[in-house]
Amino acid sequence: KAGVTQTPRYLIKTRGQQVTLSCSPISGHRSVSWYQQTPGQGLQFLFEYFSETQRNKGNFPGRFSGRQFSNSRSEMNVSTLELGDSALYLCASSLQPGQGNTGELFFGEGSRLTVL
Amino acid sequence: AQSVTQLDSHVSVSEGTPVLLRCNYSSSYSPSLFWYVQHPNKGLQLLLKYTSAATLVKGINGFEAEFKKSETSFHLTKPSAHMSDAAEYFCVVGASGGSYIPTFGRGTSLIVHP
């Protein structure tokens, strides 16, 4: 079974630009969540999608947005990039809540964004 | 509300000696608790999970953790460290079932000396 796939793995942008990151979950997983990881703030929850609906959102500005498609693939977008947005962005998928789901997350390898 | 505290930011051990990574949690619900490991420039991999079954949980690569409700702890142990265990370890609290936002500890960097 293929794991969670994130693309691109590495990217460099300049301030003011925007970026789109993609995440393909494990087959059969319908919940996708996104996290930002930085040395200073650690791992922070961005948002979670299930059946194309955002169900939970972390404490990030509106520049951070996402969506989920009918095949459960998800994208996140960051507009008007700032230097502080440099981070490893991790995507995780999981089974549908309930139905014996114990909350285990399956992570991709991340997209490392550098903002210059 | 829930929170998780990893008591050590760094733990240094010699190869072949025991490993102890400490985690305390708080949760309004009956918690699910997880330990994940992250190697450099990689995603997080599940080591083990507690979901209200046995309090002593065995995971991959010889790791295990004990859920102690009275102490609100979920410490991770391994009898004998290997060089390949050097990585960042995260303790995570999530609610049982349903939609939830997981809470991550700040991580413990495990350093293994030869």
Side-chain angles (χ1 to χ4, degrees):
Chain A
K1 207 175 201 180
V4 177
T5 303
Q6 291 189 247
T7 57
R9 289 291 316 280
Y10 302 91
L11 65 166
I12 300 173
K13 294 284 187 178
T14 57
R15 281 180 298 175
Q17 288 187 310
Q18 74 164 10
V19 66
T20 299
L21 309 177
S22 178
C23 173
S24 293
I26 290 172
S27 178
H29 286 191
R30 295 170 61 191
S31 173
V32 174
S33 51
W34 289 88
Y35 305 84
Q36 181 195 66
Q37 186 177 28
T38 60
Q41 299 298 318
L43 267 160
Q44 294 186 284
F45 171 82
L46 279 158
F47 25 65
E48 184 226 356
Y49 287 87
F50 176 76
S51 291
E52 303 177 64
T53 300
Q54 185 183 91
R55 295 190 305 179
N56 293 291
K57 189 177 193 303
N59 189 25
F60 279 82
R63 300 186 297 108
F64 291 81
S65 63
R67 58 178 176 169
Q68 187 181 33
F69 302 95
S70 59
N71 62 357
S72 295
R73 189 178 70 86
S74 178
E75 289 181 347
M76 68 163 282
N77 183 276
V78 188
S79 62
T80 320
L81 284 166
E82 301 177 359
L83 295 178
D85 296 333
S86 294
L88 181 66
Y89 289 88
L90 292 165
C91 165
S93 72
S94 64
L95 289 167
Q96 176 177 344
Q99 296 185 346
N101 177 16
T102 56
E104 178 179 350
L105 298 171
F106 296 82
F107 285 85
E109 295 202 324
S111 294
R112 183 165 295 282
L113 171 65
T114 301
V115 182
L116 302 176
Chain B
Q2 56 193 32
S3 66
V4 57
T5 303
Q6 291 184 243
L7 297 167
D8 306 293
S9 59
H10 296 84
V11 170
S12 182
V13 301
S14 297
E15 191 174 23
T17 64
V19 175
L20 170 63
L21 306 182
R22 298 181 295 166
C23 172
N24 286 351
Y25 72 93
S26 70
S27 176
S28 303
Y29 306 96
S30 177
S32 292
L33 297 163
F34 307 85
W35 276 99
Y36 288 84
V37 60
Q38 184 180 32
H39 289 92
N41 294 314
K42 297 290 187 182
L44 278 69
Q45 179 187 14
L46 181 71
L47 278 176
L48 48 80
K49 61 184 177 184
Y50 167 78
T51 54
S52 73
T55 57
L56 183 62
V57 181
K58 293 188 183 300
I60 62 172
N61 300 334
F63 285 95
E64 62 181 38
E66 186 172 8
F67 172 71
K68 292 186 176 181
K69 186 175 182 178
S70 60
E71 299 176 10
T72 60
S73 69
F74 190 57
H75 301 334
L76 181 70
T77 61
K78 182 173 181 177
S80 176
H82 192 273
M83 294 296 291
S84 61
D85 294 328
E88 192 83 11
Y89 291 79
F90 294 91
C91 183
V92 182
V93 178
S96 297
S99 175
Y100 72 100
I101 299 175
T103 303
F104 290 82
R106 291 302 300 265
T108 298
S109 178
L110 177 62
I111 302 161
V112 182
H113 299 285

